[in-house]
Amino acid sequence: MRFAMVGAVSTVTFYSSYLALHPWLPYVLAYTAAFTLSMVGSFFLNTYFTYRTRPTWRKFLTFPLTNLTSFVLTGTGTGTILLVHWLHVSSRVAPLPAAVAAIPLTFLVSRRILLPGHERPASDQSDRRSL
């Protein structure tokens, strides 16, 4: 639930930034700038609120991996460009449905980066503590 709330805030940040930049930049550049801004905000919201962990430079520098697939699929790959050029969806609207499609993968990767070792089996964790 917390991840969804952060995602909603990030989406509003992204989309409002995208719409503000869209009149002055080509849509791909506006998308890239808005995506970067919302990703930085998402990092801090996810570390403090979603996963309740301490932000570190290492996490900050690896956090873009959580959104790399999303960015490739929605911003520069099959998402937004596909919707705009092939399906003739407005470039003002196309980023929203494209971004929604990437949510499950983004959650899994962000959990992996922000909570290292989170998916290890319980027996494996107890063995590591005893070393």
Side-chain angles (χ1 to χ4, degrees), residues 21-95:
L21 295 170
H22 187 268
W24 293 282
L25 296 172
Y27 77 92
V28 173
L29 292 178
Y31 185 99
T32 302
F35 191 90
T36 302
L37 177 64
S38 69
M39 187 172 49
V40 170
S42 177
F43 169 75
F44 288 105
L45 287 172
N46 274 304
T47 54
Y48 287 117
F49 180 68
T50 303
Y51 299 110
R52 298 178 184 190
T53 187
R54 185 178 61 114
T56 64
W57 279 107
R58 180 180 176 157
K59 289 177 187 176
F60 181 76
L61 294 173
T62 56
F63 187 75
L65 295 174
T66 66
N67 293 300
L68 181 62
T69 302
S70 173
F71 181 75
V72 169
L73 292 175
T74 64
T76 62
T78 59
T80 303
I81 292 172
L82 170 84
L83 291 169
V84 171
H85 291 287
W86 292 357
L87 300 177
H88 306 289
V89 174
S90 166
S91 63
R92 294 176 59 86
V93 176

Side-chain angles (χ1 to χ4, degrees), residues 10-24:
S10 295
T11 300
V12 168
T13 301
F14 161 75
Y15 195 57
S16 61
S17 299
Y18 176 77
L19 289 178
L21 295 170
H22 187 268
W24 293 282

